[in-house]
Amino acid sequence: MSQDPLVVTTHASWLQRLGGALAGMAVGVILVLGGLTLLFGNEGRAVRAAQTLDEGGRLATSASPNRIDPAQEGRPIHVVGMAQAAGPLSDESTGLRISGLRLVRKVELYQWVETVRTETRTRLGGGEETVATYDYRLEWSSLPVDSDGFKQPQGHVNPEPILKDQDFSTPQIRLGRRRLGPEAAAGLPATETVVLLAGDAQEAERRLGRKVVVSGDALYVGADPALPAVGDARIRYAAAPWGPISVIAGQQGADLVPYATRHGRLYAVRAGRLDAETMLQDAKAANQVLTWLLRLGGAVAIILGLALILNPAKVAADVFPPAGAIVGFGVVALAFIFGLILSALTIATAWLVVRPLLSVVVLTLGALVALGIWRFKAARGTRSEPRVVGTQ
């Protein structure tokens, strides 16, 4: 369901735009500094994580879940066994109770959602006209939408959500004679859909004070699932069931706790029966993925920051729109090129701090390649052409 859109046209003079662009330079500086900090710190984080995994891999030994060896006290161990919770998990808001290691509640709300489409035109003299079209429609959304922030809240009011997403983890996992804390269950994937029964709906209705029925794999909070109304909710549950898990952690009596290496903490919990090598390799792969994602995030922040810093030049040139378009293209190109260069230099500088030996090797190889190319070109440049001796 949607309603007629709201169209709002605004105008900004060249001086107003220039003032906004100059103010945006401060934001650009913050973005650049934040990106540089993220890139530099990320390299140290990545190295420490890799060193922690390497050290743990060298020291970790296999251990039984049912026999606690005093000789392994204070050392990293690898344990595989059947995990159970000390008691059932429950959602007190709806009364749902299950036997599992982790319970995740996901809530969808039927609510008004605002979307905005903008079209901007630059006028001769540097002024700008912006036409914003606000559309409103009812739809299911997993995120609560605050209608107070709508451009036109009248007629599009969303009530307070009856429930929100929540994660419930068992405070203690039993692994044979061993124990794990709540952080262990929080890291296990909740992949099993909880089958809901009519009794679950009745208990939820009693606690929530609203009509609740089972609709597919969800508890439907509302009068009729076929005719949803604003404020209705669909509640779904997923669980991490009891079953085999694999752990690499430090032994502290009967407790499995994070093991402190020289570079960080080692604590890995995975569902299923996995050997230590597989767990460590998976953790290293995840560390590499995170490292590249943070590198990308840092580079994007730097590029956006440089674009904001250079943006006043584009706005100044917008007095004559075609010139502004050309300068704008140049601003984007310069921000992209210098952003990549600055990102690469920051990462290289971080390597000199956290990976000095590798940095020296890479720089030496690069210098040797550059020297070889220079000498090859020099040799070709000095090679004389063969002289043709003719007869008179």
Side-chain angles (χ1 to χ4, degrees), residues 96-126:
L96 182 75
R97 290 168 63 88
I98 68 162
S99 294
L101 304 176
R102 181 182 172 210
L103 177 66
V104 177
R105 180 179 74 200
K106 293 291 185 181
V107 181
E108 283 185 297
L109 302 167
Y110 195 66
Q111 55 193 330
W112 287 105
V113 176
E114 178 187 74
T115 57
V116 186
R117 293 176 287 113
T118 60
E119 182 181 356
T120 302
R121 308 181 188 93
T122 302
R123 303 297 188 185
L124 187 65

Side-chain angles (χ1 to χ4, degrees), residues 94-297:
T94 62
L96 182 75
R97 290 168 63 88
I98 68 162
S99 294
L101 304 176
R102 181 182 172 210
L103 177 66
V104 177
R105 180 179 74 200
K106 293 291 185 181
V107 181
E108 283 185 297
L109 302 167
Y110 195 66
Q111 55 193 330
W112 287 105
V113 176
E114 178 187 74
T115 57
V116 186
R117 293 176 287 113
T118 60
E119 182 181 356
T120 302
R121 308 181 188 93
T122 302
R123 303 297 188 185
L124 187 65
E128 195 172 73
E129 178 185 81
T130 301
V131 179
T133 304
Y134 297 85
D135 287 299
Y136 299 91
R137 65 180 184 276
L138 284 168
E139 63 179 42
W140 289 100
S141 174
S142 58
L143 296 175
V145 178
D146 184 5
S147 57
D148 290 342
F150 287 172
K151 188 69 174 179
Q152 188 179 53
Q154 296 82 7
H156 311 113
V157 177
N158 290 327
E160 284 293 319
I162 189 168
L163 286 176
K164 296 181 181 180
D165 293 353
Q166 194 167 348
D167 198 322
F168 310 90
S169 298
T170 180
Q172 186 182 93
I173 292 179
R174 304 290 302 189
L175 190 62
R177 292 179 57 195
R178 301 183 184 274
R179 300 186 297 260
L180 293 89
E183 67 274 16
L188 294 173
T191 56
E192 185 174 286
T193 300
V194 177
V195 178
L196 300 166
L197 307 175
D200 298 322
Q202 293 171 1
E203 181 61 22
E205 182 172 317
R206 185 182 71 82
R207 298 197 180 204
L208 295 174
R210 290 185 57 181
K211 182 175 178 57
V212 180
V213 296
V214 176
S215 177
D217 60 351
L219 293 175
Y220 188 92
V221 183
D224 186 354
L227 297 171
V230 178
D232 286 2
R234 294 190 299 212
I235 306 171
R236 293 182 173 87
Y237 291 95
W242 292 5
I245 65 171
S246 304
V247 182
I248 298 178
Q251 176 177 300
Q252 189 177 89
D255 295 320
L256 293 174
V257 300
Y259 175 74
T261 70
R262 291 177 299 171
H263 307 285
R265 298 194 327 156
L266 178 62
Y267 189 72
V269 181
R270 294 282 304 279
R273 299 182 180 274
L274 303 174
D275 58 68
E277 182 62 25
T278 299
M279 293 183 68
L280 291 169
Q281 289 302 322
D282 288 349
K284 290 178 181 178
N287 181 44
Q288 290 179 346
V289 171
L290 177 60
T291 299
W292 279 104
L293 287 176
L294 292 177
R295 284 173 178 167
L296 177 61

Side-chain angles (χ1 to χ4, degrees), residues 12 171 178 212 264 304 365 369 375 392:
R178 301 183 184 274
V212 180
L304 290 177
L365 289 175
V369 171
R375 294 189 64 178
Q392 297 291 330

Side-chain angles (χ1 to χ4, degrees), residues 48-82:
R48 289 190 297 272
Q51 291 172 335
T52 295
L53 293 170
D54 288 339
E55 182 178 343
R58 291 193 303 269
L59 299 178
T61 57
S62 296
S64 168
N66 297 309
R67 178 178 175 273
I68 300 175
D69 186 353
Q72 294 177 315
E73 185 70 14
R75 300 185 59 188
I77 58 175
H78 169 244
V79 187
V80 179
M82 294 296 294

